[in-house]
Amino acid sequence: MPDLLPPAFPPSPGVTAPLFLFATGIENSNPRVGERRVDQMAASGHMQRWREDFALVQEVGCNALRYGPPLHSTWLGEGRYDWAFADETFAALRHQGTYPIVDLCHFGVPDWIGDFQNPDFPRLFAGYAEAFAVRFPWVQLYTPVNEMYVCALFSGRYGWWNERMTTERGFVTALKHLVAANRLAMRAILRVRPDAIFIQSESAEQYHASSPRAWAEAKRRNAERFLSLDLNYGHQIEAPMYEHLMDNGMTPEEYAAFQTTDLKRHCVLGTDYYVTNEHLVLEDCSTRASGDVYGYATIIQQYYARYHLPLMHTETNLADDLHGSSTDWLWKQWANLLLLWETPVPVLGFTWFSLTDQVDWDTALRENNGRVNSVGLYDLDRKPRQVGRAYKRLISQWQDVLPARSLCLRLPLVAINSERVA
């Protein structure tokens, strides 16, 4: 078919050839849990071994990396930044030709901000985003705020991170501040880089009723899972969810401010899917993991039907149990992505997250056990896992095939080593 730029994105000089994004990520969660800062970049050894890690990104064949500077140690105060680590790392990524998808806020804020209940956070964060864009004007791809819905749940309702609240008002307040921060950051970046592209990373959820008595609660949760994206993209929220927001601290004026849709044309809907993303709702309204009942392709078609945006699979993994489970999961996710290609849904990229193993995610970072979670393409000694070898083989087999046969739109990416700035 003709090689056309999608109308959703403005054309840019020096646009590269059609490119499907094969990505991985450096896990950079940094929430506070009580008095303790959880720093996954430090736990994985990346702060000392970043040169080695970037070489592994090239070794596996990825052309994109979900990556960002450690927010809590980079953003020192309003208008104050320590760019030393970011200067080194982003210069190296640019030199090796890896597209960074810049993850600016990943589950935590600096101590001086406090937490996501702070009403000044959106405005202050937009200033940080703009300062980053000014310093690194060659960067085009961003995830300003990662998994807004999950962050609001864990911080405002479940009582696990940051403000550690367990109320609906805490959840709604965190959610509205996270989404407002994401939207203001997009506008700030666009002032510097008008052709910036925002690849949102949000958890793709599904709730299943265990019986007719659980049906209403499953329906409510299936509406709630869309809240962060509805607010982010200006999608009108159903009446019960609107009433819930109004009853728990959002004002009609705040809601109205979320209803503008002009940012959508700069966006790709990034969707995260794990085996834990589908839930069984029990009769007492509690939930438990159901496993992958529908699977990625079925759930993602619901999201596409709602937002009509090009998609990227931005996170998945499964622990390596030495019996091939992780490689089977990789194959299953890739098969779901190829199934989407047979539909009208435009899919622009795929991600195994993360590059190396993680630490203590088996307790959602709540416990400081130092337990290594074997979900990476490489272990913490930087030796390849089974899934790392399988992903390298997958990329090698498909990287030259997908742009040639794709029915999807392509991203108008500017060559990474271009001197062009906005």
Side-chain angles (χ1 to χ4, degrees):
M1 64 182 296
D3 179 23
L4 299 176
L5 287 174
F9 299 110
S12 299
V15 173
T16 65
L19 185 69
F20 184 88
L21 295 181
F22 286 102
T24 185
I26 306 293
E27 222 286 302
N28 67 334
S29 296
N30 52 35
R32 289 199 66 85
V33 180
E35 299 303 312
R36 178 172 59 93
R37 169 74 65 181
V38 178
D39 185 343
Q40 284 286 288
M41 291 180 85
S44 69
H46 174 75
M47 300 300 290
Q48 294 75 38
R49 304 180 71 170
W50 60 266
R51 293 178 181 84
E52 189 176 355
D53 288 346
F54 290 172
L56 296 179
V57 173
Q58 287 190 301
E59 179 180 275
V60 79
C62 290
N63 53 23
L65 178 70
R66 291 196 60 209
Y67 188 72
L71 182 65
H72 60 288
S73 58
T74 302
W75 190 15
L76 305 181
E78 186 172 3
R80 297 175 49 233
Y81 315 100
D82 180 356
W83 297 117
F85 184 71
D87 283 343
E88 279 197 288
T89 52
F90 279 88
L93 288 174
R94 187 181 190 188
H95 178 74
Q96 75 180 38
T98 299
Y99 285 93
I101 304 171
V102 180
D103 192 345
L104 290 177
C105 178
H106 201 119
F107 295 148
V109 292
D111 291 344
W112 65 272
I113 289 282
D115 53 46
F116 295 110
Q117 301 297 305
N118 185 344
D120 292 327
F121 168 62
R123 173 185 61 83
L124 294 168
F125 180 70
Y128 171 73
E130 186 167 9
F132 180 93
V134 168
R135 193 165 188 91
F136 304 99
W138 59 272
V139 171
Q140 191 178 5
L141 304 177
Y142 287 89
T143 301
V145 180
N146 173 75
E147 286 192 351
M148 298 171 284
Y149 176 63
V150 172
C151 188
L153 278 179
F154 287 12
S155 300
R157 179 186 288 170
Y158 293 171
W160 293 353
W161 299 341
N162 303 305
E163 52 263 48
R164 302 179 81 182
M165 296 180 70
T166 56
T167 65
E168 285 307 294
R169 182 170 289 267
F171 165 70
V172 170
T173 300
L175 183 70
K176 71 180 183 182
H177 290 165
L178 284 157
V179 178
N182 193 70
R183 287 168 59 96
L184 288 176
M186 287 193 284
R187 295 192 187 283
I189 291 166
L190 287 167
R191 287 196 292 269
V192 179
R193 180 87 197 226
D195 64 345
I197 298 168
F198 303 103
I199 302 177
Q200 190 57 58
S201 177
E202 187 56 276
S203 184
E205 305 277 330
Q206 178 71 48
Y207 292 88
H208 306 285
S210 63
S211 73
R213 294 178 64 182
W215 180 261
E217 178 64 12
K219 183 177 180 181
R220 186 194 70 80
R221 289 177 181 255
N222 279 324
E224 183 185 84
R225 63 181 166 155
F226 292 124
L227 276 179
S228 64
L229 296 174
D230 283 351
L231 295 173
N232 194 56
Y233 297 133
H235 189 279
Q236 198 165 51
I237 292 174
E238 291 87 345
M241 281 294 107
Y242 177 82
E243 292 172 2
H244 184 73
L245 294 176
M246 295 301 110
D247 289 343
N248 288 283
M250 185 177 287
T251 67
E253 293 76 18
E254 287 172 328
Y255 177 74
F258 289 122
Q259 289 304 292
T260 56
T261 60
D262 58 303
L263 289 167
K264 280 187 69 175
R265 67 190 297 268
H266 299 277
C267 294
V268 172
L269 176 57
T271 50
D272 304 346
Y273 182 79
Y274 296 92
V275 72
T276 53
N277 280 45
E278 298 188 51
H279 316 268
L280 187 65
V281 181
L282 306 178
E283 292 186 359
D284 64 358
C285 295
S286 66
T287 65
R288 64 173 177 83
S290 66
D292 53 327
V293 178
Y294 284 177
Y296 178 76
T298 297
I299 294 171
I300 261 41
Q301 289 184 73
Q302 300 174 21
Y303 282 76
Y304 179 71
R306 193 175 187 92
Y307 302 114
H308 302 287
L309 283 170
L311 290 160
M312 180 172 173
H313 195 325
T314 40
E315 284 187 26
T316 198
N317 69 42
L318 193 69
D320 183 358
D321 63 1
L322 304 180
H323 298 293
S325 295
S326 58
T327 55
D328 289 347
W329 183 256
L330 171 66
W331 173 84
K332 187 170 189 175
Q333 295 312 295
W334 186 249
N336 271 258
L337 185 141
L338 291 179
L339 177 61
L340 287 172
W341 279 38
E342 303 301 323
T343 75
V345 178
V347 184
L348 305 180
F350 178 80
T351 312
W352 185 273
F353 197 85
S354 53
L355 178 73
T356 64
D357 288 347
Q358 301 168 15
V359 180
D360 287 335
W361 259 110
D362 54 311
T363 60
L365 307 180
R366 289 174 292 163
E367 298 178 10
N368 187 21
N369 300 319
R371 185 176 296 120
V372 175
N373 309 135
S374 56
V375 297
L377 300 171
Y378 295 84
D379 65 23
L380 294 185
D381 293 323
R382 275 53 181 182
K383 296 178 181 177
R385 291 198 172 276
Q386 295 181 80
V387 73
R389 289 188 286 267
Y391 194 32
K392 180 178 182 179
R393 185 166 57 251
L394 185 153
I395 294 171
S396 176
Q397 291 173 338
W398 286 95
Q399 63 183 347
D400 295 326
V401 176
L402 294 184
R405 70 180 294 272
S406 173
L407 298 179
C408 73
L409 307 175
R410 71 177 174 95
L411 287 173
L413 296 179
V414 174
I416 198 169
N417 289 315
S418 168
E419 293 302 316
R420 176 196 180 281
V421 296

